Amino acid sequence: MRLFISIEIPQEIKKEIEKIQNCLPEFQGKKTEFENLHLTLKFLGEFSENKLNEIKSALSQVKCSSFETKIYQLGFFSPSQIRIIWLSMSNCEILQKEIDEKLSNIFSKEKRFMSHLTIARIKEVENKKRFIELINKINIPEMRFQINHFNLMQSYLKSSGPEYKILEKFNL
């Protein structure tokens, strides 16, 4: 089983993100599918099903209050090699650290967590400088929503792209 922990994005916010995706300059690659938009808090990797109960038990111990997040910035990791276009999300670090702590007997802690929602994966752009200029001109509307839970997810990698399934929802 390929597992990760995520925050769901509400439908109305996904619609706003889709508008942003439609403003992206031309590139070779793929936009994240509407139904797959999420924030990954921790990627766990491949595990046998017998480890699932231990992971669920650890995640049920997470203590964090619900909180508001804001999507506020469009960006990419490296101007020299643009591969991922993302949107930043605020206030998710506390929840991620709490998840890391509760899973520390099973998984190593994240060395560096950056709260980002991937909206496109880039294979190639014709003119990087122009692409960056156009990215920087995209207006990001204020998008806020409440985080009341997180999910343990299973990922199925298919030739058409990944498919995700919620294995368990954990309320805050």
Side-chain angles (χ1 to χ4, degrees), residues 77 96 100 109-116:
F77 290 116
Q96 194 284 326
D100 245 3
K109 292 183 180 180
E110 299 291 323
K111 290 182 174 84
R112 193 187 105 193
F113 173 74
M114 183 194 159
S115 186
H116 71 282

Side-chain angles (χ1 to χ4, degrees), residues 152-169:
L152 175 61
M153 305 289 291
Q154 184 172 6
S155 172
Y156 302 92
L157 298 179
K158 299 187 173 194
S159 58
S160 58
E163 283 185 20
Y164 304 134
K165 174 184 173 188
I166 297 173
L167 296 179
E168 190 151 336
K169 190 178 280 195

Side-chain angles (χ1 to χ4, degrees), residues 82-107:
I82 302 167
R83 293 288 176 240
I84 304 286
I85 303 293
W86 46 256
L87 291 165
S88 288
M89 286 177 61
S90 65
N91 301 329
C92 299
E93 296 77 13
I94 293 169
L95 175 58
Q96 194 284 326
K97 283 182 181 169
E98 177 69 8
I99 288 169
D100 245 3
E101 188 60 42
K102 297 303 182 199
L103 291 172
S104 63
N105 291 336
I106 310 167
F107 303 98

Side-chain angles (χ1 to χ4, degrees), residues 41-63:
L41 292 166
K42 187 167 185 71
F43 178 74
L44 304 179
E46 293 283 345
F47 286 90
S48 61
E49 207 165 322
N50 63 358
K51 198 81 164 159
L52 194 56
N53 285 337
E54 186 180 357
I55 293 168
K56 286 180 179 181
S57 177
L59 291 174
S60 69
Q61 303 302 311
V62 168
K63 301 288 182 242

Side-chain angles (χ1 to χ4, degrees), residues 113-153:
F113 173 74
M114 183 194 159
S115 186
H116 71 282
L117 186 150
T118 299
I119 65 167
R121 297 183 185 281
I122 310 295
K123 288 186 180 177
E124 190 177 326
V125 294
E126 291 244 344
N127 181 333
K128 285 182 192 171
K129 185 178 182 219
R130 181 74 180 134
F131 186 82
I132 292 168
E133 287 171 3
L134 293 170
I135 286 283
N136 289 332
K137 289 181 180 178
I138 297 173
N139 183 38
I140 307 301
E142 184 166 301
M143 294 177 273
R144 295 176 183 267
F145 61 98
Q146 196 70 19
I147 306 293
N148 299 310
H149 67 277
F150 64 92
N151 297 325
L152 175 61
M153 305 289 291

Side-chain angles (χ1 to χ4, degrees), residues 10-12 14-15 18 21 32-37:
Q11 293 296 101
E12 65 274 7
K14 285 183 179 182
K15 288 176 184 170
E18 193 172 47
Q21 288 176 311
T32 304
E33 296 86 354
F34 184 88
E35 65 276 4
N36 288 347
L37 289 167

